[in-house]
Amino acid sequence: MSLYATLEPLIVGAAVIACALVVLRKQAPRLWLKLSGRSAAAACGSCGSGCGNCSSGPTQSTVHLHRKP
């Protein structure tokens, strides 16, 4: 059996697994975090990143719109 015939299924299989992981990460982020063993707070970075998981994150403020006379 040739080397190509041996390596081709391994390369194709690795590419399929990598694509499946990317799709899982994009389409099911909570499941991805659960499977990868990371917490949601660690995944979004610092408390200033704006992901909303930190209690000391950005506060909401009221926006006032004024019409021009």
Side-chain angles (χ1 to χ4, degrees):
M1 193 149 78
S2 70
L3 181 63
Y4 177 76
T6 304
L7 289 179
E8 183 184 16
L10 295 176
I11 294 170
V12 171
V16 168
I17 290 172
C19 291
L21 290 175
V22 169
V23 168
L24 178 67
R25 190 178 83 197
K26 297 286 185 179
Q27 297 298 320
R30 287 186 181 175
L31 179 61
W32 170 256
L33 291 175
K34 186 176 179 180
L35 291 176
S36 65
R38 295 187 300 167
S39 67
C44 70
S46 66
C47 286
S49 68
C51 67
N53 287 333
C54 300
S55 60
S56 62
T59 59
Q60 294 181 354
S61 61
T62 304
V63 176
H64 297 283
L65 299 176
H66 301 282
R67 293 183 186 220
K68 293 183 178 181

